[in-house]
Amino acid sequence: MNWNWDHVDDFMPLFWDGMELTLKALLFGSLIAFSLGLVWAVAQRSPKKWIRWPVTVVTEFIRNTPLLVQLFFLFYVVPEWGPSMSPLTTGIVGLGLHYSTYTSEVYRAGIDGVPEGQWEAATALSLSKRRTWTSVILPQAVRRVIPALGNYVIVMLKESPQMAAIGALDMLGQAQGYSQTTFTYEAISVVGVAFIVIAYPASVLLRLLERRLVR
């Protein structure tokens, strides 16, 4: 391969297509991860074993299975029994499902960090379980874990190139395809810089947010 920066202009339309796909996967995957992770965390605290145990088994299985294997399963195996999904939709579901098992642990730590007195106060006020969770426990727990959740957004960004294996061409997938046809390094370099430009400012903002929340 040879360095030829004249190829950068030719690559940029593909780069922006890949950027759009990456950001869509990151946004919707994060929404799934955050929402489903909270469901997992609350379910694992259920006093009913028939709820708690299956959820624990499922989350442990997903957490200990590679993301790439899960993407292949969702894209190639699931359609054998149900509806098929586009590569982008599969990537979003795969990222969201996989990282929901990690965010569930973050939520669980936040819930465990709520002082016991808050639970006792809710009981003394005769609040229902639903009211206790929505008005007392979760507002305090979620506030504590926002920085940690943000860290997983950055992790998901860095894991998004795995979607290329099922045909969802993110920034890196576009760069790899372009580099293989032009035999140049420039496209890969542009994508590397793009990841830094997105991830580093986000990490700085998360640190500032964490300092603000712990005051």
Side-chain angles (χ1 to χ4, degrees):
M1 291 188 178
N2 298 311
W3 290 95
N4 186 347
W5 292 104
D6 293 336
H7 287 284
V8 173
D9 290 339
D10 296 333
F11 170 66
M12 291 311 294
L14 297 176
F15 169 78
W16 292 119
D17 288 343
M19 172 73 82
E20 181 181 1
L21 187 145
T22 298
L23 294 179
K24 283 182 178 179
L26 185 63
L27 173 61
F28 293 109
S30 297
L31 292 175
I32 293 175
F34 294 163
S35 303
L36 189 55
L38 183 58
V39 172
W40 295 142
V42 174
Q44 286 179 315
R45 293 183 64 92
S46 173
K48 300 176 181 179
K49 293 182 180 180
W50 64 271
I51 295 178
R52 186 174 68 252
W53 287 6
V55 168
T56 300
V57 171
V58 169
T59 54
E60 287 296 327
F61 177 81
I62 294 174
R63 189 183 301 117
N64 290 284
T65 307
L67 172 60
L68 187 58
V69 172
Q70 294 170 15
L71 290 174
F72 278 129
F73 183 84
L74 290 171
F75 192 68
Y76 293 110
V77 180
V78 169
E80 295 293 329
W81 300 299
S84 59
M85 296 182 289
S86 68
L88 174 58
T89 301
T90 302
I92 290 171
V93 172
L95 283 171
L97 182 62
H98 185 78
Y99 282 98
S100 70
T101 63
Y102 290 94
T103 59
S104 70
E105 291 299 305
V106 174
Y107 284 123
R108 188 169 70 167
I111 293 170
D112 290 342
V114 176
E116 188 66 26
Q118 297 294 311
W119 296 90
E120 296 172 354
T123 302
L125 293 171
S126 300
L127 297 182
S128 65
K129 288 185 178 179
R130 180 178 180 181
R131 184 74 181 279
T132 298
W133 277 104
T134 58
S135 300
V136 179
I137 304 304
L138 290 181
Q140 297 182 63
V142 172
R143 181 177 181 275
R144 295 166 181 267
V145 302
I146 287 177
L149 293 177
N151 287 331
Y152 277 110
V153 174
I154 297 175
V155 174
M156 291 174 66
L157 170 66
K158 293 188 289 186
E159 291 290 331
S160 62
Q162 295 196 45
M163 296 188 299
I166 57 172
L169 297 181
D170 69 320
M171 294 185 293
L172 185 58
Q174 295 283 11
Q176 287 176 324
Y178 184 83
S179 298
Q180 289 172 358
T181 58
T182 60
F183 302 101
T184 57
Y185 288 113
E186 294 81 18
I188 300 293
S189 301
V190 169
V191 170
V193 172
F195 273 106
I196 295 173
V197 168
I198 296 172
Y200 182 72
S203 65
V204 172
L205 289 174
L206 285 171
R207 286 197 294 269
L208 294 174
L209 179 61
E210 184 174 8
R211 293 173 185 173
R212 184 178 182 84
L213 290 176
V214 298
R215 288 180 180 177

